[in-house]
């Protein structure tokens, strides 16, 4: 009992010290961030799972981009208890001069198999439940679409040549969960209503809602994998959630952000650990003088550290619960009905992981503590700073954390490479500048040469200080720079884009009409690139459906992509690796892919990629890799094949491109769409609106993140000043005892911190530059152009902040009398 | 039979980058718990190293050391558990007050009445009214009195003191020395002191001079 109270007493006293407070604040801030993230994430997962259980509209859903043949559909019906076939297509719906891109769902008489539809007569009307979809000749649209088009129940809407009566406003359909996080406006009509109109598009899907018992479900799953290789199967119970992989990818991205924050926290903790270790070594040596065994003393040290950790858990949990409640209230706009709940298991898992990481960071200190000896109280032996050992443990734990958390190996690798390069540069710079400075000042008098001499004596400690501050500066600068550049890019999209209307998708028979319309309205067709809709189904014989890793690329490839053909390398592409095909080659089974796709999917040259195109299967050998280069249009493709492949592939050709419309032509667009509802044209204004929406969310998230980075940067700065304050006090005391004035001490201190800040800033800038060059193009499709003025301002701001904090700390230490200074 | 520490033909040295410094060679001596012993010698003679070896903190390069407690031979770990130390720099815990420092070894040994015993010892060393004072609020002499009391408070078999009065003026030194020897005799604990002070050495039952690697009876 006495030992326990002693442990708690010691721990409490340590926490009241400056280092203890910084250490506690850093731990609490990191844990608060991770716990808030975990609780929010758990709530979203639980919300999605609940929705799946209650809202699939059937027992099982099979969704495919190529519909079943009549024979296959008959076989399917024979296996299922009940079957409803729905088709989905993206079209443009018009009403008078208003238009909107809409996801149209064509349903049959059996829809929905389970659950109800919610409809009303006006967008704000009371909802009523109905058990079947619209009748033939009717259309239902969702409330946002009704407002956008300015329609009301009873109006006639025309799709192609078919007139449909708007008979209800649609509020909810039971298979809504299948749309995932899509916020597209929706419309629903009976399949037989549009028998005459073509609504085919490359993004068209056929969805089969099925009622089936468990045995039937297993049989259908097996059958669909053979008959529909590109189809997705979702089961109400025990199935993979349509949103789960999306959310997991988001979590992984946030995971990488957490890794960066943890890295900063590790720097602050390492700096406070330096003083903690000295204190604990002393304490353990004194304990040893009372006959206390080393293992007992070590256990007590561990207990003291644990007590501090438990306190930080308590504080972080209280803060996280408050933040979690606030975030859930904000999220209710995106996930209606989501609510806060106690997610004890995920929270404990996060605390456990955090504990292990902190323990790994603390390991070098505990190893050194185990060597604490009573002899140190008699002999004053020299103590190693073990900078390299500490650095190794820090980097090892953070790298492991990054590897465990992030699915995007390329991004993680680039981030860690930039950090490692910056650290190496800072070490080299520190050693070079200080050694050269010392050599320069060797035969000179004055405070600056003396400052270099002092820094030379504390070279290891100085390196650690520079690396900590520099790393912190790098992460802060990079976060702020990326936020600023993403915003600028999104805002300036219109200036860089060729044309003000994007042709997202046009069918062959629509090209003539587009040209005619362009001529009539004075518009210019800028670019048009052909493609077919192709779905990658296997790589070297391994089915894509069997690959289970959370990756954006894999998720995209599970849906059809656009496969383009070209004889020569397009002007807006450059060869990155492999060998491009000869012009006019007869060997059509070759393919080139973008490097990011290759890295994320682990493709190698020589791999065989099998695509499902228009009902047929085609093999291509990966021979080259191409990347986008600006200057000749913005349209580029992930995959490209030789021109000769076109004649071998039996599938409808589609086009994407861009147009420049003069102001009066915009009003005439509705006429073109009415004639060709599947023609997908996206005005730049709409595109920028979508960007603005995305930017709004991105800004909210990154602002919160930047606030966390800033907070941790402050902790690093405080730890840096606090960790070295005793040395500075002793140095200042000695100098004053030799007759130097306070102003001299302040100047000396200014030189010391100025050199530290400049080297750290140089390292931070170099690290930011390498991170920018590596990450911008590859991950965000941005060209990295550092703004000289902005960079200079940041360096000055960083230098000024560090010098100011150093000055304040020095003023405080000088307030103490020379006698007290000497006593430290 | 009293507890003893037997140094049998021990030798010790330090290696520097350029040379080997021999401290002592083939040195033998028996330290008894029922007497006080002073080791004197010039700076660098190896007094502190000899003390560390005798206390079981360090192992000699040659020869062997035997620790006998309660009639049986014990290892260095057990020996250390039965020892106390007094240092030249006092080495009190700066964050604890006087009574907290005194109670610390008792609390580490799990004594329930640690603070009561500490209070008795504080009274004994004449610092009852300084119980709540931190080390930096005490004079050097007061700090060393607390350190002496702290070494004796757990009733060890041996106390090792390394230049215990090296940082104190003559009057304070005498007072602290008096306290140390009184406590040792009162508790029957062996006291081994390394010192430069002739006056301090003369208070001990036995006094030896470490010179040229050998122990000789001090004059």
């Amino acid at each position: 009992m006495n030992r326990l109270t002693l442990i708690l007493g010691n721990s409490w006293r340590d926490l009241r010290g400056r280092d203890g407070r910084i250490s506690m604040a850093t731990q609490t801030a990191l844990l608060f961030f991770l716990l808030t993230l975990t609780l929010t994430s758990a709530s979203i997962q639980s919300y999605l799972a609940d929705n799946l259980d209650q809202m699939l509209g059937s027992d099982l859903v099979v969704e495919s981009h190529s519909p079943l043949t009549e024979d296959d559909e008959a076989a399917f019906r024979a296996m299922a208890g009940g079957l409803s076939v729905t088709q989905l297509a993206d079209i443009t719906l018009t009403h008078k001069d208003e238009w909107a891109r809409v996801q149209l769902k064509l349903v049959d008489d059996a829809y929905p198999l389970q659950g109800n539809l919610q409809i009303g007569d006006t967008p704000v009307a009371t909802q009523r439940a109905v058990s079947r979809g619209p009748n033939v000749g009717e259309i239902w649209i969702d409330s946002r679409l009704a407002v956008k088009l300015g329609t009301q129940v009873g109006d006639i809407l025309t799709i192609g040549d078919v007139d449909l009566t708007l008979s209800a406003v649609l509020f909810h359909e039971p298979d809504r969960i299948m749309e995932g996080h899509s916020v597209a406006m929706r419309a629903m009509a009976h399949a037989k209503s549009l028998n005459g109109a073509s609504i085919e598009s490359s993004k068209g899907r056929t969805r089969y809602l099925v009622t089936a018992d468990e045995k039937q479900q297993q049989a259908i799953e097996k059958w669909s994998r053979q008959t529909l290789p590109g189809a997705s199967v979702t089961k109400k119970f025990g199935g993979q959630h349509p949103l789960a992989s999306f959310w997991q990818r988001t979590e992984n991205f946030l995971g990488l952000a957490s890794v960066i924050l943890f890295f900063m926290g590790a720097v602050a903790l390492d700096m406070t650990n330096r003083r903690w270790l000295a204190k604990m070594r002393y304490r353990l040596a004194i304990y040893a003088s009372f006959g206390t065994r080393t293992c007992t003393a070590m256990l007590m040290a561990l207990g003291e550290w644990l007590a501090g950790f438990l306190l930080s858990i308590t504080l972080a949990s209280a803060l996280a619960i408050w933040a979690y409640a606030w975030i859930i209230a904000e999220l209710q706009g995106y996930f209606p009905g989501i609510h806060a709940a106690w997610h004890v298991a995920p929270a404990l898992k996060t605390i456990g992981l955090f504990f292990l990481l902190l323990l790994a960071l603390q390991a070098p200190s505990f190893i050194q503590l185990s060597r604490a000896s009573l002899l140190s109280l008699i002999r004053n032996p020299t103590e190693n700073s073990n900078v390299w050992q500490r650095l190794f443990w820090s980097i090892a734990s953070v790298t492991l954390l990054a590897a465990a958390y992030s699915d995007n190996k390329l991004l993680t690798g680039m981030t860690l490479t930039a950090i490692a390069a910056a650290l190496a540069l800072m070490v080299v710079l520190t050693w070079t500048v200080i050694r050269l400075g010392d050599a320069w000042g060797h035969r000179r008098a004055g405070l600056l040469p003396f400052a270099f001499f002092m820094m030379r004596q504390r070279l290891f400690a100085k390196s650690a200080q520079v690396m900590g501050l520099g790393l912190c500066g790098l992460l802060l600068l990079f976060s702020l720079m990326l936020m600023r550049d993403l915003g600028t890019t999104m805002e300036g999209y219109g200036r860089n884009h060729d044309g003000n209307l994007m042709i997202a998708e046009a069918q062959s028979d629509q090209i003539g009409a587009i040209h005619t319309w362009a001529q009539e309205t004075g518009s210019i067709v800028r670019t048009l690139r052909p493609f077919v809709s192709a779905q990658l189904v296997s790589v070297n014989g391994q089915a894509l459906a069997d690959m289970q890793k959370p990756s954006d690329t894999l998720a995209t490839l599970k849906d059809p992509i656009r496969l383009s053909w070209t004889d020569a390398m397009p002007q807006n592409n450059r060869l990155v690796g492999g060998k491009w095909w000869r012009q006019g080659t007869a060997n059509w089974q070759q393919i080139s892919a973008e490097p990011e796709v290759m890295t994320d999917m682990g493709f190698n040259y020589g791999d065989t990629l099998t695509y499902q195109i228009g009902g047929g299967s085609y093999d291509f050998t990966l021979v080259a890799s191409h990347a986008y280069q600006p200057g000749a249009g913005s349209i580029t493709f992930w995959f490209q094949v030789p021109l000769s492949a076109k004649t071998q592939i039996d599938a409808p050709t589609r086009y994407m491109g861009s147009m420049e419309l003069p102001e009066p032509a915009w009003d005439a667009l509705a006429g073109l769409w009415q004639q060709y509802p599947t023609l997908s044209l996206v005005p730049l204004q709409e595109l920028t609106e979508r960007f603005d929406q995305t930017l709004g969310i991105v800004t909210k998230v990154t602002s919160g993140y930047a606030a966390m980075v800033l907070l941790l940067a402050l902790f690093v700065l405080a730890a840096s000043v606090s960790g070295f304050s005793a040395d500075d006090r002793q140095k200042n005391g000695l100098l004053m005892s030799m007759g130097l004035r306070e102003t001299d001490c302040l100047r000396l201190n200014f030189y010391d911190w100025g050199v530290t800040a400049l080297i750290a800033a140089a390292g931070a800038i170099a690290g930011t530059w390498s991170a920018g060059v590596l990450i911008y193009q590859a991950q965000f499709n941005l060209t990295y152009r550092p703004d000289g003025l902005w960079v200079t301002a940041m360096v000055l701001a960083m230098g000024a902040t560090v010098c100011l904090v150093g000055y304040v700390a020095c003023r405080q230490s000088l307030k103490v009398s020379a006698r007290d200074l000497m006593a430290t | 039979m009293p507890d003893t520490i037997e140094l049998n033909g021990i030798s010790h040295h330090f290696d520097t980058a350029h040379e080997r410094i021999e401290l002592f060679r083939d040195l033998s001596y028996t330290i008894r718990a029922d007497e006080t012993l002073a080791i004197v010698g010039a700076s660098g003679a190896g007094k502190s190293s000899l003390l560390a070896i005798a206390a079981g903190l360090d192992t000699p390069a040659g020869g062997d050391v035997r620790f006998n407690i309660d009639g049986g031979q014990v290892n260095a770990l057990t020996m250390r558990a039965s020892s106390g130390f007094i240092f030249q720099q006092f080495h009190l815990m700066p964050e604890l007050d006087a009574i907290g420092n005194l109670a610390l070894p008792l609390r580490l040994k799990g004594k329930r009445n640690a603070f009561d015993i500490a209070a008795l010892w504080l009274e004994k060393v004449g610092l009852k009214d300084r119980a709540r004072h931190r080390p930096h609020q005490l004079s050097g002499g007061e700090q060393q009195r607390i350190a002496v009391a702290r070494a004796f408070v757990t009733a060890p078999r041996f106390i090792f003191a390394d230049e215990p009065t090296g940082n104190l003026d003559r009057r304070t030194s005498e007072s602290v020395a008096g306290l140390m020897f009184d406590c040792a005799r009162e508790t029957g604990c062996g006291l081994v002191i390394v010192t430069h002070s002739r006056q301090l050495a003369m208070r001990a039952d036995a006094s030896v001079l470490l010179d040229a690697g050998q122990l000789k009876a001090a004059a």
Side-chain angles (χ1 to χ4, degrees):
Chain A
M1 196 60 199
N2 242 322
R3 274 194 198 145
L4 184 65
T5 51
L6 185 62
I7 288 171
L8 292 176
N10 281 342
S11 184
W12 180 242
R13 270 187 297 273
D14 289 348
L15 290 175
R16 282 166 58 193
R18 193 192 288 179
D19 287 327
R21 285 202 302 261
I22 294 169
S23 179
M24 166 65 59
T26 310
Q27 283 184 28
T28 307
L30 283 175
L31 193 56
F32 156 72
F33 179 78
L34 291 176
L35 270 180
T36 309
L37 202 65
T38 304
L39 290 172
T40 309
S41 164
S43 262
I44 292 175
Q45 295 279 21
S46 143
Y47 168 82
L48 295 174
D50 281 355
N51 272 268
L52 183 72
D53 287 349
Q54 293 161 19
M55 295 166 64
L56 202 58
S58 59
D59 293 324
L60 179 116
V61 174
V62 177
E63 192 170 284
S64 169
H65 289 274
S66 43
L68 289 171
T69 60
E70 278 184 21
D71 290 347
D72 283 340
E73 193 176 315
F76 196 179
R77 277 186 196 282
M79 275 188 281
L83 184 76
S84 164
V85 184
T86 58
Q87 294 169 59
L88 294 121
D90 291 338
I91 63 159
T92 304
L93 203 58
T94 53
H95 179 242
K96 296 178 182 162
D97 288 339
E98 298 295 331
W99 47 265
R101 286 298 289 174
V102 175
Q103 190 182 76
L104 177 67
K105 184 188 280 182
L106 295 176
V107 299
D108 59 9
D109 290 327
Y111 177 84
L113 290 176
Q114 292 170 356
N116 290 315
L117 291 146
Q118 297 283 336
I119 56 171
D121 291 331
T122 69
V124 290
T126 312
Q127 301 175 19
R128 63 179 188 274
V130 291
S131 57
R132 52 169 298 177
N135 295 320
V136 179
E138 288 179 0
I139 186 167
W140 295 350
I141 61 176
D142 75 21
S143 52
R144 282 188 305 142
L145 183 57
V147 173
K148 175 126 204 283
L149 293 180
T151 58
Q152 51 189 338
V153 170
D155 285 351
I156 301 293
L157 297 176
T158 308
I159 299 178
D161 297 326
V162 182
D163 287 344
L164 298 170
T165 309
L166 179 60
S167 58
V169 174
L170 176 64
F171 289 104
H172 177 73
E173 63 248 66
D175 57 334
R176 174 76 182 89
I177 194 74
M178 287 301 293
E179 307 308 329
H181 59 286
S182 163
V183 289
M185 288 187 271
R186 290 165 294 133
M188 186 185 286
H190 197 284
K192 286 180 185 160
S193 300
L194 292 183
N195 275 347
S198 162
I199 58 152
E200 265 183 43
S201 79
S202 68
K203 284 186 181 168
R205 287 169 289 160
T206 307
R207 186 181 290 167
Y208 301 91
L209 305 185
V210 184
T211 48
D213 59 27
E214 204 164 320
K215 207 173 164 187
Q216 286 170 318
Q217 286 184 33
Q218 281 175 358
I220 291 169
E221 211 175 345
K222 196 176 166 192
W223 172 85
S224 68
R225 289 190 68 165
Q226 288 163 354
T227 318
L228 293 164
S232 71
V233 179
T234 308
K235 289 191 282 188
K236 185 184 272 186
F237 299 105
Q240 177 69 20
H241 195 282
L243 268 184
S245 58
F246 156 74
W247 181 245
Q248 197 179 347
R249 287 196 305 281
T250 311
E251 279 182 334
N252 285 337
F253 184 76
L254 291 171
L256 183 66
S258 315
V259 169
I260 288 178
L261 283 181
F262 186 81
F263 214 143
M264 290 183 74
V267 172
L269 290 174
D270 183 67
M271 284 179 169
T272 52
N273 261 354
R274 184 175 172 267
R275 299 271 302 153
W276 179 85
L277 181 63
K279 187 193 272 185
M280 290 309 287
R281 284 174 87 130
Y282 183 69
R283 188 176 289 168
L284 260 61
I286 290 181
Y287 285 2
S289 79
F290 309 144
T292 307
R293 287 169 191 260
T294 309
C295 61
T296 311
M298 285 289 294
L299 279 174
M300 288 182 71
L302 188 68
E304 285 164 23
W305 176 76
L306 265 176
F309 181 69
L310 287 175
L311 183 63
S312 74
I313 292 178
T314 314
L315 292 174
S317 302
L319 286 171
I321 288 167
W322 171 79
Y324 166 58
W326 180 77
I327 291 172
I328 290 295
E330 286 281 303
L331 278 177
Q332 277 170 348
Y334 302 95
F335 301 101
I338 192 169
H339 60 274
W342 295 104
H343 300 287
V344 179
L348 286 178
K349 202 174 144 193
T350 299
I351 292 171
L353 178 70
F354 187 65
F355 171 73
L356 290 177
L357 285 167
L358 284 187
L359 203 60
L361 281 179
Q362 207 71 15
S365 297
F366 278 115
I367 291 169
Q368 285 194 58
L369 263 190
S370 66
R371 296 181 195 138
S373 154
L374 176 52
L375 277 175
S376 64
L377 298 180
I378 300 172
R379 278 185 195 149
N380 287 325
T382 52
E383 289 173 10
N384 296 326
S385 63
N386 293 298
V387 168
W388 301 116
Q389 196 186 38
R390 281 173 14 220
L391 197 66
F392 167 78
W393 278 92
S394 302
I395 291 180
S397 61
V398 172
T399 309
L400 277 175
L401 176 68
Y405 250 103
S406 174
D407 66 311
N408 191 331
K409 286 179 189 156
L410 191 64
L411 179 59
T412 310
M414 284 172 174
T415 311
L416 293 179
T417 305
I419 288 174
L423 285 179
L425 179 79
M426 281 185 272
V427 170
V428 172
L429 268 181
T430 309
W431 284 49
T432 312
V433 169
I434 292 178
R435 277 171 182 270
L436 283 178
D438 186 39
W440 165 80
H442 198 59
R443 292 189 183 280
R444 283 180 172 79
L447 287 176
L448 186 60
F450 183 69
F452 275 116
F453 169 74
M454 288 301 292
M455 283 189 267
R456 170 95 160 76
Q457 303 306 309
R458 296 155 65 182
L459 199 52
F460 263 102
K462 193 49 69 187
S463 304
Q465 196 180 30
V466 167
M467 282 195 288
L469 287 173
L471 185 63
C472 175
L474 157 66
L475 299 171
L476 186 62
L477 271 184
F478 188 69
S479 305
L480 293 177
M481 186 182 76
L482 190 60
M483 255 177 74
R484 187 198 62 150
D485 288 349
L486 267 179
T488 314
T489 306
M490 288 183 171
E491 281 164 17
Y493 194 82
R495 289 190 292 279
N496 298 329
H497 195 262
D498 48 345
N500 55 9
L501 182 77
M502 190 173 166
I503 303 170
E505 185 178 325
Q507 290 167 27
S508 299
D509 59 342
Q510 296 164 345
I511 296 299
I514 289 173
H515 280 295
T516 313
W517 183 87
Q519 261 183 346
E520 285 168 7
T521 56
S523 307
I524 303 161
V525 178
R526 284 268 171 90
T527 47
L528 267 181
R529 291 283 309 271
F531 70 89
V532 287
S533 178
Q535 187 171 5
L536 183 66
V537 286
S538 69
V539 179
N540 295 328
Q542 193 200 351
L544 217 63
D546 293 341
M547 296 183 187
Q548 294 292 339
K549 62 170 184 174
S551 153
D552 273 328
T553 312
L554 180 63
T556 309
L557 288 178
K558 282 185 172 171
D559 282 330
I561 48 92
R562 298 170 172 206
L563 182 68
S564 185
W565 49 87
T566 175
D567 216 14
M569 175 72 71
Q571 280 184 321
N572 66 348
N573 282 173
R574 62 186 167 83
L575 188 67
V576 177
K579 199 177 168 195
W580 195 264
W581 42 85
R582 278 183 299 105
Q583 282 200 4
T585 181
N587 179 8
W588 61 274
Q589 285 180 300
Q590 305 182 69
I591 195 163
S592 172
E594 282 205 345
E596 197 195 334
V597 178
M598 287 186 62
T599 312
D600 263 13
M601 294 299 295
F603 290 164
N604 294 306
Y605 297 120
D607 282 353
T608 302
L609 311 185
T610 307
Y611 288 87
Q612 186 84 17
I613 308 171
S617 179
Y618 301 85
D619 288 345
F620 294 94
T621 307
L622 187 60
V623 295
S625 174
H626 63 274
Y628 173 76
Q629 64 177 10
S634 59
I635 291 165
T636 187
F637 295 88
W638 276 13
F639 295 98
Q640 298 186 87
V641 292
L643 182 63
S644 49
K646 174 65 196 93
T647 52
Q648 307 291 331
I649 297 170
D650 179 23
T653 302
R654 303 172 201 280
Y655 292 85
M656 69 183 296
S658 61
M659 288 170 81
E660 183 75 40
L661 268 63
E663 200 53 43
W666 290 102
D667 293 338
L669 259 184
L672 182 65
W673 266 319
Q674 207 157 20
Q675 205 179 344
Y676 300 101
T678 58
L679 178 61
S680 177
L681 303 173
V682 187
L684 190 65
Q685 196 189 351
E686 192 182 319
L687 214 57
T688 49
E689 270 171 19
R690 281 187 209 168
F691 272 128
D692 284 347
Q693 280 178 355
T694 315
L695 184 62
I697 299 167
V698 168
T699 307
K700 262 188 192 173
V701 173
T702 45
S703 300
Y705 179 63
M708 279 301 294
V709 171
L710 263 174
L711 186 68
L712 284 170
L714 280 177
F715 292 155
V716 171
L717 199 57
S720 173
V721 172
S722 163
F724 296 88
S725 67
D727 293 348
D728 286 342
R729 284 174 65 182
Q730 201 161 25
K731 182 185 75 184
N732 288 337
L734 270 170
L735 294 174
M736 285 170 77
S737 74
M738 292 171 193
L740 258 71
R741 289 166 302 166
E742 270 192 33
T743 47
D744 294 330
C745 285
L746 283 172
R747 266 178 65 197
L748 200 61
N749 181 72
F750 173 76
Y751 292 143
D752 193 327
W753 281 104
V755 170
T756 306
L758 280 179
I759 300 176
I765 297 288
T768 312
W769 178 81
S770 54
V773 167
L774 285 169
I775 296 169
Y776 263 50
Q777 185 64 53
Q779 298 291 325
F780 303 105
N781 212 14
L782 297 174
T783 311
Y784 179 61
R785 286 193 205 92
D787 181 343
L789 196 68
W790 195 79
V791 167
T792 315
M794 281 294 155
V795 172
L796 289 177
M798 193 171 160
T801 312
V802 172
C803 286
L804 186 73
V805 174
Y807 172 79
V808 172
C810 186
R811 291 276 305 178
Q812 275 186 338
S813 81
L814 285 169
K815 276 183 193 161
V816 190
S817 73
R819 181 188 166 277
D820 288 336
L821 287 171
M822 293 299 295
T824 53
Chain B
M1 173 147 179
D3 299 333
T4 57
I5 300 167
E6 293 173 27
L7 309 173
N8 299 317
I10 60 165
S11 53
H12 206 55
H13 57 253
F14 278 122
D15 286 323
T16 67
H18 309 290
E19 57 178 337
R20 169 169 289 188
I21 299 168
E22 294 278 353
L23 291 177
F24 33 81
R25 181 187 290 273
D26 199 23
L27 186 154
S28 298
Y29 194 86
T30 300
I31 301 167
R32 297 162 57 94
D34 58 355
E35 65 172 18
T36 54
L37 169 71
I39 304 171
V40 293
S43 293
K47 300 186 297 291
S48 294
S49 295
L50 182 60
L51 186 83
I53 289 170
L57 299 176
D58 213 349
T59 44
D64 73 305
V65 182
R66 284 188 191 173
F67 306 105
N68 301 304
I69 288 180
D70 292 335
Q73 194 177 333
V74 296
N75 60 15
L77 217 59
T78 313
M79 173 65 197
R80 268 154 59 187
S82 315
S83 313
F85 287 83
I86 302 166
F87 308 97
Q88 183 178 0
Q89 308 284 352
F90 323 138
H91 288 311
L92 298 179
M93 301 291 280
E95 64 268 34
L96 298 180
D97 55 19
I99 196 161
N101 265 292
L102 248 175
L104 186 59
L106 295 165
R107 296 177 76 191
L108 282 167
K109 289 189 189 299
K111 299 267 186 205
R112 283 177 180 275
N113 50 352
F115 282 95
D116 297 337
I117 300 172
L120 287 176
W121 273 89
L122 210 55
E123 195 171 356
K124 201 172 189 171
V125 297
L127 293 170
K128 191 181 169 189
D129 53 340
R130 312 285 264 167
R132 292 292 163 199
H133 288 216
R134 295 271 180 91
H136 70 273
Q137 295 167 315
L138 300 170
S139 71
E142 287 170 334
Q143 288 189 49
Q144 193 63 308
R145 291 175 86 84
I146 304 275
V148 169
R150 187 181 67 177
F152 282 97
V153 76
T154 53
R157 303 301 173 96
F158 288 94
I159 297 272
F160 300 93
D162 183 36
E163 301 278 10
T165 58
N167 272 4
L168 305 173
D169 62 47
R170 216 179 106 191
R171 226 185 72 198
T172 316
S173 293
E174 280 174 12
S175 146
V176 168
L179 178 68
M180 259 188 321
F181 283 101
D182 288 351
C183 287
R185 285 180 185 123
E186 198 179 303
T187 56
C189 157
L191 175 65
V192 184
I193 302 174
V194 162
T195 182
H196 284 293
S197 163
R198 186 179 289 268
Q199 284 81 4
L200 183 62
M202 282 169 64
R203 284 177 173 258
D205 298 332
S207 180
V208 288
L209 170 72
L210 182 61
D211 183 35
Q214 288 299 315
L215 281 180
K216 300 163 189 168

